[in-house]
């Protein structure tokens, strides 16, 4: 999952970026509203963390511009202002959730997980596909109840496919959502990760749709036949 952080406080921004990366997210960090708006308008994100008090362009304006442009990824708004009017303004502008500073990083991560799950139609924090289970809270993956160890990139790829279970996901979409902006992206690595996941979880866990991409679904789903 790929996250955009737009936060002008350097220490907080770097702390959030580091923590989210440690929790398995690909993260881009912007420090002003103009650059943040550009990234959110031109790159694909699964969610954004947006501070309201930004230089260049304020956060509410950035959010409103994204929504007018049809950018519908979930947005968690951050602000040092904890008045009800600021909360209403943020939600009315298109925010999906709201967190006042100071906050606990664990709460922000939990809120992001919930936003991403809801956006992909998943209510539970535990995603399943046949005997494969992925706990988004702990990052734990099991097969028939037995823990399976995945690398960071394998986990990101599996998590994205499980969040979008039953849908065909192209290589390009996977690349855009599991790597951050500065990563040297190579589409050939996607096939390598898929092969490794199949070895660990079973050959039929991910289906290759020739010319289109990959799909993950419950093995008994007749659509796979």
């Amino acid at each position: 999952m790929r996250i955009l952080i737009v936060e002008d406080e350097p220490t907080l921004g770097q702390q959030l970026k580091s923590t989210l990366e440690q929790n398995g997210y690909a993260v881009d960090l912007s420090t002003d509203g103009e650059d943040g708006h550009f990234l959110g308008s031109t790159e694909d994100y699964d969610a954004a963390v947006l501070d309201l008090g930004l230089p260049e362009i304020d956060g509410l304006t950035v959010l409103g511009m994204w929504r007018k442009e049809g950018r519908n990824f979930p947005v968690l708004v951050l602000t040092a202002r904890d008045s009800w009017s600021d909360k209403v303004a943020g939600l009315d502008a298109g925010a999906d959730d709201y967190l006042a500073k100071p906050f606990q990083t664990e709460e922000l991560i939990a809120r992001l997980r919930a936003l991403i799950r809801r956006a992909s139609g998943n209510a539970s924090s535990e995603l399943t596909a046949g005997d494969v289970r992925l706990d988004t809270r702990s990052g734990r993956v099991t097969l028939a109840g037995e823990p399976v160890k995945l690398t960071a990139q394998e986990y990101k790829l599996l998590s994205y496919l499980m969040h979008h279970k039953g849908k065909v996901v192209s290589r390009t979409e996977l690349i855009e959502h599991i790597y951050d902006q500065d990563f040297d992206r190579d589409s050939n690595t996607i096939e390598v990760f898929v092969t490794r996941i199949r070895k660990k979880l079973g050959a039929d866990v991910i289906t290759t749709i020739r010319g289109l991409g990959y799909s993950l679904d419950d093995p008994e789903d007749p659509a796979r036949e």
Side-chain angles (χ1 to χ4, degrees):
M1 295 295 168
R2 189 177 175 196
I3 307 295
L4 172 63
I5 299 173
V6 190
E7 170 58 63
D8 66 319
E9 294 181 32
T11 301
L12 176 58
Q14 287 296 336
Q15 286 176 345
L16 291 176
K17 184 176 189 295
S18 177
T19 302
L20 287 170
E21 287 174 342
Q22 291 171 11
N23 279 267
Y25 296 97
V27 184
D28 293 331
L29 173 62
S30 175
T31 57
D32 66 71
E34 185 175 358
D35 181 62
H37 167 252
F38 176 77
L39 287 175
S41 298
T42 58
E43 300 284 337
D44 289 323
Y45 293 101
D46 296 290
V49 179
L50 176 67
D51 185 28
L52 292 187
L54 296 170
E56 305 298 336
I57 307 174
D58 69 85
L60 281 178
T61 301
V62 170
L63 180 55
M65 293 166 68
W66 283 342
R67 294 315 192 212
K68 287 180 181 178
E69 294 161 356
R71 309 298 283 177
N72 294 321
F73 49 79
V75 175
L76 173 62
V77 164
L78 299 180
T79 183
R81 300 168 290 183
D82 194 20
S83 71
W84 67 268
S85 59
D86 291 325
K87 294 179 181 180
V88 170
L91 294 171
D92 282 347
D96 298 273
D97 203 353
Y98 192 105
L99 200 55
K101 301 176 183 178
F103 55 84
Q104 294 296 320
T105 305
E106 291 80 2
E107 181 180 2
L108 181 141
I109 294 172
R111 288 175 180 268
L112 275 179
R113 284 198 302 259
L115 289 177
I116 292 170
R117 286 200 312 269
R118 290 200 294 267
S120 59
N122 296 288
S124 173
S125 61
E126 187 175 77
L127 309 178
T128 64
D131 289 334
V132 178
R133 295 180 180 273
L134 185 151
D135 190 326
T136 60
R137 296 168 299 182
S138 64
R140 187 169 182 262
V141 177
T142 61
L143 175 64
E146 295 297 320
V148 177
K149 187 174 182 179
L150 301 179
T151 67
Q153 296 299 344
E154 291 166 1
Y155 176 85
K156 289 177 183 178
L157 191 150
L158 179 66
S159 176
Y160 191 82
L161 289 176
M162 292 191 74
H163 273 89
H164 298 83
K165 188 170 73 171
K167 300 177 182 178
V168 178
V169 180
S170 68
R171 282 193 185 189
T172 300
E173 183 176 344
L174 284 170
I175 290 169
E176 290 174 344
H177 287 268
I178 70 172
Y179 295 131
D180 61 44
Q181 186 185 29
D182 297 327
F183 198 92
D184 184 14
R185 304 175 181 182
D186 181 357
S187 63
N188 292 326
T189 61
I190 298 298
E191 183 61 37
V192 173
F193 294 145
V194 168
T195 300
R196 291 178 182 173
I197 292 170
R198 284 170 172 160
K199 287 181 179 179
K200 295 177 180 181
L201 298 178
D204 63 345
V205 68
I206 299 174
T207 301
T208 299
I209 311 299
R210 190 175 300 276
L212 296 176
Y214 303 96
S215 178
L216 183 149
D217 213 327
D218 293 311
E220 65 272 15
D221 192 326
R224 291 170 58 98
E225 297 178 359

PDB file of all heavy atoms in Angstrom, residues 178-201:
ATOM      1  N   ILE A 178       3.118  -0.466  -4.641  1.00  0.00           N
ATOM      2  CA  ILE A 178       3.995  -1.110  -3.653  1.00  0.00           C
ATOM      3  C   ILE A 178       5.362  -0.441  -3.564  1.00  0.00           C
ATOM      4  O   ILE A 178       6.143  -0.758  -2.672  1.00  0.00           O
ATOM      5  CB  ILE A 178       4.163  -2.624  -3.915  1.00  0.00           C
ATOM      6  CG1 ILE A 178       4.999  -2.889  -5.166  1.00  0.00           C
ATOM      7  CG2 ILE A 178       2.819  -3.313  -3.995  1.00  0.00           C
ATOM      8  CD1 ILE A 178       5.350  -4.367  -5.342  1.00  0.00           C
ATOM      9  N   TYR A 179       5.647   0.482  -4.484  1.00  0.00           N
ATOM     10  CA  TYR A 179       6.911   1.216  -4.455  1.00  0.00           C
ATOM     11  C   TYR A 179       6.657   2.696  -4.232  1.00  0.00           C
ATOM     12  O   TYR A 179       5.669   3.251  -4.747  1.00  0.00           O
ATOM     13  CB  TYR A 179       7.669   1.068  -5.781  1.00  0.00           C
ATOM     14  CG  TYR A 179       8.120  -0.330  -6.097  1.00  0.00           C
ATOM     15  CD1 TYR A 179       7.872  -0.885  -7.352  1.00  0.00           C
ATOM     16  CD2 TYR A 179       8.808  -1.106  -5.165  1.00  0.00           C
ATOM     17  CE1 TYR A 179       8.302  -2.162  -7.671  1.00  0.00           C
ATOM     18  CE2 TYR A 179       9.231  -2.385  -5.476  1.00  0.00           C
ATOM     19  CZ  TYR A 179       8.974  -2.913  -6.729  1.00  0.00           C
ATOM     20  OH  TYR A 179       9.395  -4.168  -7.029  1.00  0.00           O
ATOM     21  N   ASP A 180       7.572   3.366  -3.503  1.00  0.00           N
ATOM     22  CA  ASP A 180       7.443   4.807  -3.374  1.00  0.00           C
ATOM     23  C   ASP A 180       8.041   5.493  -4.601  1.00  0.00           C
ATOM     24  O   ASP A 180       8.596   4.850  -5.495  1.00  0.00           O
ATOM     25  CB  ASP A 180       8.084   5.314  -2.076  1.00  0.00           C
ATOM     26  CG  ASP A 180       9.563   5.015  -1.994  1.00  0.00           C
ATOM     27  OD1 ASP A 180      10.266   5.207  -3.004  1.00  0.00           O
ATOM     28  OD2 ASP A 180      10.032   4.596  -0.925  1.00  0.00           O
ATOM     29  N   GLN A 181       7.933   6.820  -4.639  1.00  0.00           N
ATOM     30  CA  GLN A 181       8.304   7.593  -5.820  1.00  0.00           C
ATOM     31  C   GLN A 181       9.786   7.457  -6.176  1.00  0.00           C
ATOM     32  O   GLN A 181      10.154   7.447  -7.350  1.00  0.00           O
ATOM     33  CB  GLN A 181       7.967   9.067  -5.587  1.00  0.00           C
ATOM     34  CG  GLN A 181       8.173   9.957  -6.805  1.00  0.00           C
ATOM     35  CD  GLN A 181       7.937  11.413  -6.466  1.00  0.00           C
ATOM     36  OE1 GLN A 181       8.139  11.836  -5.338  1.00  0.00           O
ATOM     37  NE2 GLN A 181       7.495  12.182  -7.442  1.00  0.00           N
ATOM     38  N   ASP A 182      10.646   7.321  -5.169  1.00  0.00           N
ATOM     39  CA  ASP A 182      12.086   7.320  -5.394  1.00  0.00           C
ATOM     40  C   ASP A 182      12.660   5.934  -5.667  1.00  0.00           C
ATOM     41  O   ASP A 182      13.848   5.793  -5.956  1.00  0.00           O
ATOM     42  CB  ASP A 182      12.809   7.927  -4.179  1.00  0.00           C
ATOM     43  CG  ASP A 182      12.432   9.382  -3.970  1.00  0.00           C
ATOM     44  OD1 ASP A 182      12.190  10.073  -4.975  1.00  0.00           O
ATOM     45  OD2 ASP A 182      12.379   9.817  -2.804  1.00  0.00           O
ATOM     46  N   PHE A 183      11.824   4.912  -5.589  1.00  0.00           N
ATOM     47  CA  PHE A 183      12.309   3.548  -5.776  1.00  0.00           C
ATOM     48  C   PHE A 183      12.554   3.272  -7.261  1.00  0.00           C
ATOM     49  O   PHE A 183      11.810   3.721  -8.125  1.00  0.00           O
ATOM     50  CB  PHE A 183      11.290   2.547  -5.229  1.00  0.00           C
ATOM     51  CG  PHE A 183      11.854   1.173  -4.981  1.00  0.00           C
ATOM     52  CD1 PHE A 183      12.358   0.839  -3.738  1.00  0.00           C
ATOM     53  CD2 PHE A 183      11.879   0.224  -5.984  1.00  0.00           C
ATOM     54  CE1 PHE A 183      12.884  -0.425  -3.497  1.00  0.00           C
ATOM     55  CE2 PHE A 183      12.400  -1.046  -5.755  1.00  0.00           C
ATOM     56  CZ  PHE A 183      12.896  -1.363  -4.510  1.00  0.00           C
ATOM     57  N   ASP A 184      13.631   2.536  -7.552  1.00  0.00           N
ATOM     58  CA  ASP A 184      13.944   2.154  -8.926  1.00  0.00           C
ATOM     59  C   ASP A 184      12.985   1.043  -9.342  1.00  0.00           C
ATOM     60  O   ASP A 184      13.186  -0.124  -9.014  1.00  0.00           O
ATOM     61  CB  ASP A 184      15.405   1.688  -9.013  1.00  0.00           C
ATOM     62  CG  ASP A 184      15.816   1.380 -10.453  1.00  0.00           C
ATOM     63  OD1 ASP A 184      15.079   1.776 -11.384  1.00  0.00           O
ATOM     64  OD2 ASP A 184      16.862   0.733 -10.639  1.00  0.00           O
ATOM     65  N   ARG A 185      11.950   1.417 -10.050  1.00  0.00           N
ATOM     66  CA  ARG A 185      10.870   0.480 -10.372  1.00  0.00           C
ATOM     67  C   ARG A 185      11.215  -0.377 -11.580  1.00  0.00           C
ATOM     68  O   ARG A 185      11.616   0.123 -12.616  1.00  0.00           O
ATOM     69  CB  ARG A 185       9.571   1.254 -10.638  1.00  0.00           C
ATOM     70  CG  ARG A 185       9.164   2.154  -9.472  1.00  0.00           C
ATOM     71  CD  ARG A 185       7.953   2.981  -9.833  1.00  0.00           C
ATOM     72  NE  ARG A 185       7.573   3.868  -8.739  1.00  0.00           N
ATOM     73  CZ  ARG A 185       6.513   4.677  -8.782  1.00  0.00           C
ATOM     74  NH1 ARG A 185       5.739   4.700  -9.848  1.00  0.00           N
ATOM     75  NH2 ARG A 185       6.229   5.454  -7.757  1.00  0.00           N
ATOM     76  N   ASP A 186      11.009  -1.671 -11.433  1.00  0.00           N
ATOM     77  CA  ASP A 186      11.288  -2.628 -12.500  1.00  0.00           C
ATOM     78  C   ASP A 186      10.133  -3.628 -12.533  1.00  0.00           C
ATOM     79  O   ASP A 186       9.918  -4.376 -11.579  1.00  0.00           O
ATOM     80  CB  ASP A 186      12.618  -3.334 -12.241  1.00  0.00           C
ATOM     81  CG  ASP A 186      12.979  -4.326 -13.346  1.00  0.00           C
ATOM     82  OD1 ASP A 186      12.175  -4.501 -14.281  1.00  0.00           O
ATOM     83  OD2 ASP A 186      14.066  -4.919 -13.266  1.00  0.00           O
ATOM     84  N   SER A 187       9.408  -3.637 -13.637  1.00  0.00           N
ATOM     85  CA  SER A 187       8.224  -4.503 -13.730  1.00  0.00           C
ATOM     86  C   SER A 187       8.592  -5.978 -13.646  1.00  0.00           C
ATOM     87  O   SER A 187       7.769  -6.813 -13.260  1.00  0.00           O
ATOM     88  CB  SER A 187       7.467  -4.229 -15.035  1.00  0.00           C
ATOM     89  OG  SER A 187       8.268  -4.545 -16.166  1.00  0.00           O
ATOM     90  N   ASN A 188       9.827  -6.332 -14.008  1.00  0.00           N
ATOM     91  CA  ASN A 188      10.224  -7.736 -13.968  1.00  0.00           C
ATOM     92  C   ASN A 188      10.268  -8.285 -12.544  1.00  0.00           C
ATOM     93  O   ASN A 188      10.126  -9.493 -12.333  1.00  0.00           O
ATOM     94  CB  ASN A 188      11.597  -7.914 -14.624  1.00  0.00           C
ATOM     95  CG  ASN A 188      11.560  -7.647 -16.118  1.00  0.00           C
ATOM     96  OD1 ASN A 188      10.572  -7.938 -16.781  1.00  0.00           O
ATOM     97  ND2 ASN A 188      12.629  -7.083 -16.657  1.00  0.00           N
ATOM     98  N   THR A 189      10.479  -7.394 -11.569  1.00  0.00           N
ATOM     99  CA  THR A 189      10.539  -7.864 -10.187  1.00  0.00           C
ATOM    100  C   THR A 189       9.175  -8.343  -9.699  1.00  0.00           C
ATOM    101  O   THR A 189       9.104  -9.167  -8.787  1.00  0.00           O
ATOM    102  CB  THR A 189      11.056  -6.767  -9.243  1.00  0.00           C
ATOM    103  OG1 THR A 189      10.160  -5.635  -9.285  1.00  0.00           O
ATOM    104  CG2 THR A 189      12.449  -6.319  -9.640  1.00  0.00           C
ATOM    105  N   ILE A 190       8.105  -7.846 -10.290  1.00  0.00           N
ATOM    106  CA  ILE A 190       6.757  -8.271  -9.883  1.00  0.00           C
ATOM    107  C   ILE A 190       6.596  -9.766 -10.101  1.00  0.00           C
ATOM    108  O   ILE A 190       6.100 -10.490  -9.219  1.00  0.00           O
ATOM    109  CB  ILE A 190       5.671  -7.488 -10.654  1.00  0.00           C
ATOM    110  CG1 ILE A 190       5.750  -5.991 -10.347  1.00  0.00           C
ATOM    111  CG2 ILE A 190       4.293  -8.040 -10.320  1.00  0.00           C
ATOM    112  CD1 ILE A 190       5.511  -5.634  -8.901  1.00  0.00           C
ATOM    113  N   GLU A 191       7.023 -10.256 -11.260  1.00  0.00           N
ATOM    114  CA  GLU A 191       6.919 -11.684 -11.541  1.00  0.00           C
ATOM    115  C   GLU A 191       7.771 -12.496 -10.577  1.00  0.00           C
ATOM    116  O   GLU A 191       7.379 -13.589 -10.150  1.00  0.00           O
ATOM    117  CB  GLU A 191       7.351 -11.973 -12.986  1.00  0.00           C
ATOM    118  CG  GLU A 191       7.215 -13.433 -13.397  1.00  0.00           C
ATOM    119  CD  GLU A 191       5.783 -13.943 -13.323  1.00  0.00           C
ATOM    120  OE1 GLU A 191       4.849 -13.179 -13.641  1.00  0.00           O
ATOM    121  OE2 GLU A 191       5.599 -15.123 -12.923  1.00  0.00           O
ATOM    122  N   VAL A 192       8.932 -11.959 -10.196  1.00  0.00           N
ATOM    123  CA  VAL A 192       9.790 -12.638  -9.227  1.00  0.00           C
ATOM    124  C   VAL A 192       9.072 -12.773  -7.885  1.00  0.00           C
ATOM    125  O   VAL A 192       9.067 -13.852  -7.272  1.00  0.00           O
ATOM    126  CB  VAL A 192      11.120 -11.873  -9.043  1.00  0.00           C
ATOM    127  CG1 VAL A 192      11.932 -12.482  -7.898  1.00  0.00           C
ATOM    128  CG2 VAL A 192      11.921 -11.889 -10.331  1.00  0.00           C
ATOM    129  N   PHE A 193       8.446 -11.677  -7.418  1.00  0.00           N
ATOM    130  CA  PHE A 193       7.738 -11.711  -6.140  1.00  0.00           C
ATOM    131  C   PHE A 193       6.547 -12.668  -6.204  1.00  0.00           C
ATOM    132  O   PHE A 193       6.285 -13.404  -5.246  1.00  0.00           O
ATOM    133  CB  PHE A 193       7.250 -10.317  -5.762  1.00  0.00           C
ATOM    134  CG  PHE A 193       8.360  -9.335  -5.487  1.00  0.00           C
ATOM    135  CD1 PHE A 193       8.230  -8.007  -5.836  1.00  0.00           C
ATOM    136  CD2 PHE A 193       9.537  -9.742  -4.878  1.00  0.00           C
ATOM    137  CE1 PHE A 193       9.249  -7.104  -5.595  1.00  0.00           C
ATOM    138  CE2 PHE A 193      10.567  -8.847  -4.624  1.00  0.00           C
ATOM    139  CZ  PHE A 193      10.418  -7.518  -4.985  1.00  0.00           C
ATOM    140  N   VAL A 194       5.819 -12.666  -7.313  1.00  0.00           N
ATOM    141  CA  VAL A 194       4.677 -13.562  -7.469  1.00  0.00           C
ATOM    142  C   VAL A 194       5.145 -15.022  -7.401  1.00  0.00           C
ATOM    143  O   VAL A 194       4.515 -15.857  -6.735  1.00  0.00           O
ATOM    144  CB  VAL A 194       3.940 -13.290  -8.803  1.00  0.00           C
ATOM    145  CG1 VAL A 194       2.935 -14.407  -9.106  1.00  0.00           C
ATOM    146  CG2 VAL A 194       3.233 -11.950  -8.756  1.00  0.00           C
ATOM    147  N   THR A 195       6.244 -15.324  -8.069  1.00  0.00           N
ATOM    148  CA  THR A 195       6.788 -16.691  -8.045  1.00  0.00           C
ATOM    149  C   THR A 195       7.162 -17.109  -6.629  1.00  0.00           C
ATOM    150  O   THR A 195       6.868 -18.231  -6.192  1.00  0.00           O
ATOM    151  CB  THR A 195       8.021 -16.789  -8.959  1.00  0.00           C
ATOM    152  OG1 THR A 195       7.640 -16.464 -10.299  1.00  0.00           O
ATOM    153  CG2 THR A 195       8.618 -18.195  -8.929  1.00  0.00           C
ATOM    154  N   ARG A 196       7.800 -16.204  -5.889  1.00  0.00           N
ATOM    155  CA  ARG A 196       8.184 -16.512  -4.505  1.00  0.00           C
ATOM    156  C   ARG A 196       6.959 -16.739  -3.621  1.00  0.00           C
ATOM    157  O   ARG A 196       6.946 -17.654  -2.788  1.00  0.00           O
ATOM    158  CB  ARG A 196       9.017 -15.365  -3.939  1.00  0.00           C
ATOM    159  CG  ARG A 196      10.398 -15.219  -4.545  1.00  0.00           C
ATOM    160  CD  ARG A 196      11.095 -14.022  -3.932  1.00  0.00           C
ATOM    161  NE  ARG A 196      12.416 -13.794  -4.492  1.00  0.00           N
ATOM    162  CZ  ARG A 196      13.163 -12.730  -4.206  1.00  0.00           C
ATOM    163  NH1 ARG A 196      12.696 -11.805  -3.370  1.00  0.00           N
ATOM    164  NH2 ARG A 196      14.358 -12.585  -4.745  1.00  0.00           N
ATOM    165  N   ILE A 197       5.927 -15.903  -3.794  1.00  0.00           N
ATOM    166  CA  ILE A 197       4.711 -16.055  -2.998  1.00  0.00           C
ATOM    167  C   ILE A 197       4.040 -17.392  -3.295  1.00  0.00           C
ATOM    168  O   ILE A 197       3.556 -18.082  -2.386  1.00  0.00           O
ATOM    169  CB  ILE A 197       3.741 -14.883  -3.262  1.00  0.00           C
ATOM    170  CG1 ILE A 197       4.339 -13.581  -2.698  1.00  0.00           C
ATOM    171  CG2 ILE A 197       2.378 -15.141  -2.638  1.00  0.00           C
ATOM    172  CD1 ILE A 197       3.576 -12.330  -3.107  1.00  0.00           C
ATOM    173  N   ARG A 198       4.007 -17.779  -4.569  1.00  0.00           N
ATOM    174  CA  ARG A 198       3.406 -19.056  -4.943  1.00  0.00           C
ATOM    175  C   ARG A 198       4.153 -20.225  -4.298  1.00  0.00           C
ATOM    176  O   ARG A 198       3.542 -21.206  -3.881  1.00  0.00           O
ATOM    177  CB  ARG A 198       3.408 -19.206  -6.469  1.00  0.00           C
ATOM    178  CG  ARG A 198       2.336 -18.372  -7.164  1.00  0.00           C
ATOM    179  CD  ARG A 198       2.527 -18.373  -8.665  1.00  0.00           C
ATOM    180  NE  ARG A 198       1.412 -17.739  -9.357  1.00  0.00           N
ATOM    181  CZ  ARG A 198       1.481 -17.268 -10.589  1.00  0.00           C
ATOM    182  NH1 ARG A 198       2.618 -17.362 -11.273  1.00  0.00           N
ATOM    183  NH2 ARG A 198       0.423 -16.702 -11.155  1.00  0.00           N
ATOM    184  N   LYS A 199       5.474 -20.131  -4.218  1.00  0.00           N
ATOM    185  CA  LYS A 199       6.261 -21.193  -3.592  1.00  0.00           C
ATOM    186  C   LYS A 199       5.938 -21.320  -2.106  1.00  0.00           C
ATOM    187  O   LYS A 199       5.950 -22.405  -1.544  1.00  0.00           O
ATOM    188  CB  LYS A 199       7.754 -20.920  -3.787  1.00  0.00           C
ATOM    189  CG  LYS A 199       8.242 -21.152  -5.209  1.00  0.00           C
ATOM    190  CD  LYS A 199       9.735 -20.878  -5.318  1.00  0.00           C
ATOM    191  CE  LYS A 199      10.235 -21.145  -6.738  1.00  0.00           C
ATOM    192  NZ  LYS A 199      11.690 -20.850  -6.883  1.00  0.00           N
ATOM    193  N   LYS A 200       5.642 -20.197  -1.470  1.00  0.00           N
ATOM    194  CA  LYS A 200       5.399 -20.189  -0.031  1.00  0.00           C
ATOM    195  C   LYS A 200       3.939 -20.481   0.326  1.00  0.00           C
ATOM    196  O   LYS A 200       3.652 -21.056   1.381  1.00  0.00           O
ATOM    197  CB  LYS A 200       5.799 -18.842   0.564  1.00  0.00           C
ATOM    198  CG  LYS A 200       7.295 -18.552   0.477  1.00  0.00           C
ATOM    199  CD  LYS A 200       7.651 -17.175   1.023  1.00  0.00           C
ATOM    200  CE  LYS A 200       9.152 -16.920   0.929  1.00  0.00           C
ATOM    201  NZ  LYS A 200       9.540 -15.601   1.480  1.00  0.00           N
ATOM    202  N   LEU A 201       2.998 -20.059  -0.544  1.00  0.00           N
ATOM    203  CA  LEU A 201       1.575 -20.158  -0.215  1.00  0.00           C
ATOM    204  C   LEU A 201       0.792 -21.112  -1.112  1.00  0.00           C
ATOM    205  O   LEU A 201      -0.376 -21.387  -0.839  1.00  0.00           O
ATOM    206  CB  LEU A 201       0.929 -18.767  -0.275  1.00  0.00           C
ATOM    207  CG  LEU A 201       1.478 -17.724   0.700  1.00  0.00           C
ATOM    208  CD1 LEU A 201       0.772 -16.385   0.495  1.00  0.00           C
ATOM    209  CD2 LEU A 201       1.300 -18.185   2.139  1.00  0.00           C
TER     210      LEU A 201
END
